[in-house]
Structure formats: structure tokens, C-alpha cells
Amino acid sequence: MLPLTAASIRSSFVNASRKEVSVAGLPEDLEARDWDALDYFGWHDPKFAKRAYVVLPAPDGTPTGILLRQADASPQRRQICEWCRDARLINEVVFFSARRVGESGRRGNTVGTLVCRNFQCSWVVRTDPPVPYDGFDMAADRERRIERLQQRVAGFADMLVTGR
């Protein structure tokens, strides 16, 4: 992922009002991030308990900022994150909704997804699971997991913007 600044993050939002963007709490340690190890950047707003943000690379590579709202209720059973699809269930998964872009979003239409609560997908896909059998190519599997995460994240951004 390309390194982000506070200005580039604030200018990337596609489904938030100017007021929502201006009051968004941003992380302070942006310069210290390992941007090469991130497929997207997500964080919780310290001022608003159920509000979170992600900046996803769109299919063309441009950053797409999305305002998310966390559901009040947690899933009754353990769920798998829709983005990293980690079956080891080491992270808590919660439901987030995002207002669609444009007229559809102004009418109240949203898109929802189950995502790791603390947006750890980039770390999860880079952490190797136990080797399933002798001769298993762990490096190729890791690259495949990273590529699939990037495709799912870009697809979510595209669906939110285009409505498809």
C-alpha cells in the first residue's frame, strides 16, 4: 500500500460528509507504519465508539476512504472475516456497514461485511499456518493469500462506489 498522510486520508473518503471527515479521529503514528506490509489501512475512531475507517486501494490503485459503522450486536457464533478468510479464528470478527456512494447512499442504502475487529487481515495473511503436509509450498501459499485479500478489498471498494 502507498504511504498515507493525514491530508491524503481525509481527501480519500467517498461515503462520508465533509463534517464527518473533518471530525474523524486519525491515528497519530502514520509515519511509523510499515506501509509495504499493509494491503489496506483500518482504525477505530477514538471519539466515536462504533465508528471505524478503512482506506482501501481501489482497483486502479487510488486510495478509497470508507466510513464504517460497527453493528451493535456481535455475531452469535464465531465468524470468518470476509476479507482475509482466516479459518484459524484467531481474531474476533464483527459486522461493519458502510453507506453507499452517491444518491443510493443518500437514500440510506448500505453495504455490510464481516471483518476482523482490529483490521488485522494484512498481518493474518502474512502469518504462516502450520504446514499441512511435507512439501507444501508455504511461500506460494502466502503470496496467494495476500493476492486474494487485495482482490477482496478492492472488490469491496468497487462495489461500494459502483453499486455492483
Side-chain angles (χ1 to χ4, degrees):
M1 180 157 191
L2 296 173
L4 298 171
T5 63
S8 66
I9 290 173
R10 289 194 191 279
S11 67
S12 72
F13 283 98
V14 296
N15 72 334
S17 69
R18 281 185 258 176
K19 177 159 176 62
E20 289 170 326
V21 171
S22 68
V23 299
L26 300 180
E28 297 177 6
D29 57 348
L30 293 174
E31 300 83 24
R33 300 282 173 168
D34 181 7
W35 296 103
D36 292 333
L38 291 177
D39 302 294
Y40 69 91
F41 181 55
W43 72 99
H44 292 272
D45 194 316
K47 299 180 227 172
F48 303 99
K50 298 288 184 180
R51 190 180 291 181
Y53 310 94
V54 290
V55 179
L56 314 170
D60 64 358
T62 60
T64 304
I66 299 172
L67 168 66
L68 299 171
R69 297 194 195 286
Q70 183 178 328
D72 292 329
S74 296
Q76 296 297 314
R77 291 180 280 165
R78 294 288 289 187
Q79 300 292 321
I80 294 178
C81 173
E82 287 294 324
W83 291 355
C84 65
R85 302 239 173 116
D86 183 50
R88 293 172 287 169
L89 301 175
I90 56 176
N91 295 319
E92 186 176 356
V93 174
V94 296
F95 183 81
F96 286 103
S97 64
R99 193 170 48 231
R100 285 196 182 269
V101 176
E103 181 60 34
S104 179
R106 286 189 286 280
R107 287 193 313 254
N109 293 330
T110 60
V111 174
T113 189
L114 291 162
V115 180
C116 295
R117 177 185 295 278
N118 293 318
F119 305 108
Q120 299 163 307
C121 299
S122 295
W123 175 80
V124 168
V125 298
R126 287 168 173 77
T127 303
D128 293 333
V131 178
Y133 56 87
D134 289 341
F136 184 76
D137 188 349
M138 193 62 77
D141 183 61
R142 183 182 321 108
E143 291 303 315
R144 205 169 23 256
R145 289 189 317 258
I146 291 169
E147 182 180 313
R148 288 178 183 156
L149 170 61
Q150 292 169 346
Q151 290 170 351
R152 289 182 196 112
V153 165
F156 182 79
D158 188 52
M159 176 183 52
L160 191 68
V161 173
T162 64
R164 293 180 263 141

